[in-house]
Amino acid sequence: MKIKKDDKVIVLSGKNKGKKGKVLAVFAKEAKVIVERVNVVKRHQKPTRDFQGGIIEKPMPMYASKVMLICPKCGEPSRVKGKKVEGKGVRACASCGEVVDKV
Ligand SMILES: [Zn+2]
């Protein structure tokens, strides 16, 4: 997976095209991700003891191939390339070379 939890991504296609958000969860097996405030479904929630009721917004999983990492340095949607730092494989921005992962 080129996308990891807590990455900032932009949506490339579909009805959410152009939306940006933080990756909240990654499902490697399904190649899907959940992105904050993207692909949201609204649900009416009945009041419970802890919740007063109303509409809750829940982000649904979407295909990871539809999102692209936003480079924290150049701020552009970037292709990710593999890089080795101190013997560890990390992800780096293909345009500016910034290492995205913490080593
Ligand atoms: Zn970059």
Side-chain angles (χ1 to χ4, degrees):
M1 289 288 278
K2 284 179 175 175
I3 303 294
K4 289 184 180 174
K5 192 170 178 278
D6 293 329
D7 280 349
K8 215 180 162 205
V9 295
I10 184 164
V11 181
L12 299 173
S13 62
K15 65 178 168 135
N16 294 299
K17 190 177 173 181
K19 280 192 186 171
K20 295 174 188 172
K22 197 173 86 171
V23 175
L24 301 178
V26 170
F27 307 100
K29 230 192 204 170
E30 293 95 345
K32 284 182 171 178
V33 293
I34 291 180
V35 184
E36 188 181 33
R37 295 192 306 273
V38 175
N39 206 24
V40 165
V41 291
K42 285 182 182 171
R43 282 201 184 142
H44 293 269
Q45 181 85 34
K46 282 183 187 150
T48 62
R49 208 169 47 142
D50 303 315
F51 183 67
Q52 59 170 12
I55 297 168
I56 53 164
E57 297 194 338
K58 194 172 184 286
M60 298 301 285
M62 57 188 296
Y63 283 106
S65 60
K66 285 193 172 182
V67 303
M68 200 174 209
L69 182 74
I70 298 174
C71 172
K73 192 179 181 191
C74 60
E76 297 290 329
S78 68
R79 283 189 301 120
V80 173
K81 60 176 183 181
K83 200 173 174 178
K84 277 215 161 168
V85 177
E86 291 166 21
K88 274 196 210 165
V90 293
R91 296 172 304 155
C93 172
S95 38
C96 74
E98 175 79 356
V99 173
V100 180
D101 292 313
K102 291 186 188 84
V103 182

